Amino acid sequence: MHSSSLIVVVALLMGPLVVMASEPSEQLRRLFEEEWQANLREFPVTATYLGDGRYNDRWADVSLAAIARREAHQREVLQRLNAIRSNELTPAERLNQKLYRRELETELEEYPYQWHLVVLNHRDGIQDENSVADACRFISRKDYEDWLARLKSFPEYMDQTIELLRRGVAERMVQPQVVMQRLPAQIRRQLVDDPTTSLYYKPFKSFPAEIAEADRLQLQREAQAAIQERIVPSYRKLLEFFEREYFPACVPNVGAWQLPQGQELYAYLARKHTTTSLTPQQIHDIGVSEVARIRSEMERIKQQVGFEGTLNEFFTHLRTSPEFHYTDANDLLAAYTAFVKRVDPELPRVFKKLPRIPFSIEAIPAHMAPDTTTAYYRPPSADGSRPGTYFVNLYKPETRPKFEIAALSLHEAMPGHHLQIALATDLVDVPEFRKHAHVTAFVEGWALYSESLGEEMGLYDDPYSKFGQLTYEMWRAVRLVVDTGMHSLKWSREKAIAYFQANAPKSELDIVNEIDRYIAWPGQALAYKIGELKIKELRQRATKALGPSFDLRDFHDVVLRNGAVPLDVLEEIVDEWIQAGK
């Protein structure tokens, strides 16, 4: 008798309490678990960031052969997923199936455009792979040996990366020179004469008491040898390749439109990042409309504070007046820390559920700060043992206005990224991919929406901090215009910078770094405003439909309870809640 027949016989004998192994629910559960584990094996650095240390001794295989193999595997998984009978699943399982199908289809749609060949830009790439150590825990000798194994296997990882970049040159899938000219200085930081000054050596500068002195010395000797013999030569090879072959092949203009299938690629990236069917032109038009609306609100505040002059003169006043800036980096960090403490007691007024996982505030590492934006957030480990981290940029504090601190902190920490991502990490009875889904339109849309909650929480207590919130909202509206402008409508970088400066009082350093970020990551910046507008639209719809019974805390609970989902799925979830509430 076949084993499958035996399961059926046993099930019939024992009655309905036995769940047959072949039923759709079990097939789906098994597929999710197998694929989650496979992804952790395939992408060891992702596993590291999630706090799973099983693969801390290796890098991902990023060879062209591995990329082709992963694509074929995803096609097989999609077939398996589609073969599972949806009509026999629970509503929650059908949602899981739908979301995973969407994820697979989106990734498979990307392969023909060969965006996977663009693996390097001024904001992230192999030139900063040392930062992976910051996500590792160094408690046992094995933790140090794992990092050593990564150091020793680094040349192969570098060779695969160079292979991808070389194919990118052949296929004309490259970044513009204006952003890539920042790379040589970043690579040279890794070319040290003294291995103990290498960014990769950082874990070996301190040890827990349990590790014996002799073991420490041995680990340090091995690390110094690996840096001298593996890490530094790998970066020398990258620098030589970059300067001789890669940079000369990078394009002189900006915009995805000039790449092979460039307009189609950008339209795809716009759909991917916004989870909508909006075209680049439609998104551009939404941006122009939002810029006009926010400008009129800014005009009102300019009048309120009694500034006599044009809005652009007010921007200049805000950018240049010493009263709006700190001169000391420590004072700036202290101001961020003080603000996030003010937020905590206000949260229960607008949220039913708060995350158990804490977060910390840290300075962006000094070697990356000049080339990156004002702040960013790193999620906690999957088990919550490593907190979330709100990184703030302390480089040139005199260029970073005080009035931005409130909106920025609400976005990156609470109730923005940290609240949403930490709650998602703690979801129960959902597959792992749901807990860590990074649906940009939802994640960034929520964080931008969170900035507007500062008003209801009483945190914009002077006109300038409210102007800071409008500045940040304007920044995201401007993104819709300049991102589509450069990548689809063939705007120059100079035109994009000028448009940004004309509509927001951010410093020139910030504006140039932002524009270069949009150049390097086509379409990603569209997600914020499109996501925020959808959440605000759904809140307005619920307020109108439910009238006096509308509860803001309930609304936020409904939006957040499923983790990050595409905007059309969020709309279905909120509409069902509205109908039930009626």
Side-chain angles (χ1 to χ4, degrees):
M1 184 182 283
H2 291 299
S3 59
S4 58
S5 307
L6 184 62
I7 290 169
V8 173
V9 170
V10 172
L12 289 170
L13 289 171
M14 296 189 67
L17 290 176
V18 173
V19 177
M20 291 191 295
S22 60
E23 70 176 13
S25 293
E26 177 58 19
Q27 291 172 347
L28 191 68
R29 187 201 63 75
R30 199 163 56 239
L31 182 145
F32 289 148
E33 180 56 25
E34 286 171 7
E35 287 311 298
W36 180 254
Q37 294 303 329
N39 275 319
L40 294 174
R41 283 194 304 274
E42 288 283 336
F43 302 105
V45 171
T46 300
T48 296
Y49 276 108
L50 289 171
D52 184 336
R54 288 176 295 166
Y55 312 108
N56 278 1
D57 59 347
R58 67 197 77 168
W59 305 102
D61 182 347
V62 296
S63 64
L64 288 162
I67 289 168
R69 173 177 56 75
R70 283 195 279 266
E71 180 191 8
H73 177 71
Q74 283 184 316
R75 293 194 186 283
E76 289 171 17
V77 174
L78 184 59
Q79 285 181 331
R80 273 180 66 195
L81 186 72
N82 287 336
I84 295 171
R85 298 186 298 278
S86 303
N87 60 339
E88 295 179 37
L89 299 172
T90 66
E93 290 166 342
R94 279 199 294 276
L95 177 62
N96 293 337
Q97 185 187 35
K98 176 181 183 174
L99 292 172
Y100 202 64
R101 180 187 295 121
R102 180 85 159 261
E103 206 172 282
L104 287 168
E105 287 173 345
T106 302
E107 286 184 32
L108 286 166
E109 191 182 351
E110 190 171 298
Y111 281 105
Y113 295 117
Q114 301 196 93
W115 188 244
H116 54 268
L117 300 177
V118 187
V119 291
L120 207 59
N121 63 54
H122 67 293
R123 282 181 56 91
D124 58 359
I126 200 165
Q127 77 275 22
D128 185 42
E129 226 39 295
N130 57 277
S131 61
V132 175
D134 295 335
C136 298
R137 296 171 71 191
F138 291 93
I139 297 169
S140 67
R141 178 177 174 130
K142 185 180 186 305
D143 296 332
Y144 290 89
E145 288 172 341
D146 283 345
W147 187 244
L148 268 176
R150 274 182 166 158
L151 299 187
K152 291 173 182 175
S153 64
F154 194 76
E156 184 184 3
Y157 178 37
M158 180 63 82
D159 288 345
Q160 291 173 350
T161 301
I162 291 173
E163 178 194 20
L164 283 181
L165 294 167
R166 193 168 270 139
R167 175 64 69 88
V169 169
E171 301 287 345
R172 292 194 306 112
M173 289 299 294
V174 289
Q175 290 278 8
Q177 288 185 341
V178 72
V179 294
M180 299 307 275
Q181 68 190 10
R182 296 179 184 235
L183 263 289
Q186 295 177 357
I187 299 169
R188 283 193 177 93
R189 287 192 198 107
Q190 304 287 5
L191 304 180
V192 295
D193 295 323
D194 176 359
T196 65
T197 64
S198 168
L199 296 164
Y200 284 88
Y201 191 74
K202 183 179 170 185
F204 300 97
K205 291 185 173 180
S206 62
F207 293 89
E210 294 76 34
I211 296 181
E213 185 64 26
D215 289 341
R216 296 180 191 193
L217 292 171
Q218 185 196 347
L219 289 166
Q220 287 176 329
R221 279 195 299 272
E222 285 192 54
Q224 289 170 36
I227 289 164
Q228 273 181 319
E229 296 163 16
R230 309 291 178 99
I231 298 292
V232 173
S234 294
Y235 280 110
R236 281 218 177 87
K237 183 189 275 192
L238 176 64
L239 185 63
E240 185 178 347
F241 163 76
F242 184 86
E243 293 188 327
R244 284 191 179 181
E245 289 182 52
Y246 197 76
F247 186 76
C250 290
V251 288
N253 298 317
V254 300
W257 58 268
Q258 63 196 316
L259 299 174
Q261 307 178 78
Q263 292 285 12
E264 296 85 352
L265 165 65
Y266 184 64
Y268 157 77
L269 290 171
R271 293 193 304 275
K272 173 188 173 179
H273 289 299
T274 66
T275 66
T276 69
S277 56
L278 291 167
T279 67
Q281 185 64 57
Q282 287 171 320
I283 293 169
H284 187 84
D285 294 342
I286 291 168
V288 170
S289 167
E290 279 292 282
V291 166
R293 177 186 66 76
I294 300 163
R295 269 190 86 94
S296 66
E297 288 194 45
M298 288 178 155
E299 288 280 4
R300 278 201 294 277
I301 289 185
K302 176 181 72 96
Q303 290 165 5
Q304 185 185 343
V305 299
F307 184 86
E308 294 179 6
T310 66
L311 189 57
N312 281 35
E313 286 167 343
F314 189 46
F315 289 169
T316 302
H317 168 64
L318 294 172
R319 281 187 194 116
T320 56
S321 291
E323 66 187 284
F324 298 117
H325 302 85
Y326 292 101
T327 53
D328 185 281
N330 292 324
D331 292 340
L332 180 57
L333 184 60
Y336 277 115
T337 305
F339 181 80
V340 298
K341 286 179 179 169
R342 276 187 61 203
V343 175
D344 284 348
E346 307 302 330
L347 291 167
R349 288 169 40 200
V350 283
F351 293 97
K352 278 182 150 178
K353 191 173 181 185
L354 297 173
R356 67 175 179 88
I357 302 171
F359 72 94
S360 61
I361 304 180
E362 291 181 26
I364 291 173
H367 68 282
M368 293 300 287
D371 297 321
T372 197
T373 46
T374 320
Y376 55 83
Y377 172 76
R378 184 180 69 197
S381 58
D383 62 0
S385 59
R386 187 191 70 236
T389 312
Y390 170 25
F391 286 97
V392 294
N393 201 328
L394 305 182
Y395 175 70
K396 289 192 175 178
E398 68 279 3
T399 67
R400 305 189 184 280
K402 297 174 183 177
F403 56 78
E404 292 184 350
I405 289 171
L408 185 60
S409 301
L410 293 167
H411 180 106
E412 300 292 347
M414 297 280 269
H417 283 325
H418 181 69
L419 182 137
Q420 182 266 311
I421 290 171
L423 284 177
T425 303
D426 271 347
L427 286 173
V428 292
D429 299 327
V430 298
E432 287 295 317
F433 84 91
R434 291 278 308 279
K435 297 180 186 181
H436 310 291
H438 192 84
V439 181
T440 317
F442 183 99
V443 172
E444 297 296 355
W446 172 264
L448 179 51
Y449 166 77
S450 295
E451 294 175 25
S452 68
L453 295 177
E455 189 114 44
E456 282 156 294
M457 295 160 74
L459 296 166
Y460 297 132
D461 47 10
D462 69 82
Y464 290 105
S465 60
K466 175 62 183 172
F467 198 88
Q469 185 247 319
L470 291 174
T471 297
Y472 270 59
E473 194 181 4
M474 176 65 92
W475 171 22
R476 281 35 170 264
V478 164
R479 284 177 170 179
L480 301 186
V481 181
V482 298
D483 198 286
T484 52
M486 290 187 292
H487 291 297
S488 183
L489 305 178
K490 304 184 181 179
W491 281 27
S492 69
R493 177 175 180 262
E494 292 69 31
K495 182 175 180 179
I497 290 171
Y499 185 88
F500 204 145
Q501 286 175 324
N503 288 292
K506 289 187 75 63
S507 70
E508 185 176 0
L509 174 71
D510 262 354
I511 287 172
V512 170
N513 278 345
E514 280 295 315
I515 293 295
D516 287 352
R517 168 191 161 170
Y518 312 151
I519 292 167
W521 289 348
Q524 192 269 353
L526 308 176
Y528 300 63
K529 193 69 182 150
I530 297 298
E532 178 231 19
L533 287 172
K534 176 56 70 176
I535 294 169
K536 283 187 169 177
E537 175 199 323
L538 295 174
R539 175 173 164 175
Q540 203 172 5
R541 186 185 304 173
T543 305
K544 188 176 174 185
L546 299 176
S549 64
F550 173 79
D551 184 305
L552 183 58
R553 295 163 84 238
D554 284 340
F555 173 76
H556 289 156
D557 196 50
V558 168
V559 170
L560 295 169
R561 69 168 59 144
N562 288 289
V565 295
L567 298 183
D568 56 324
V569 175
L570 177 65
E571 188 160 11
E572 290 168 13
I573 289 165
V574 173
D575 282 343
E576 283 175 19
W577 172 69
I578 291 171
Q579 287 307 313
K582 280 181 172 177

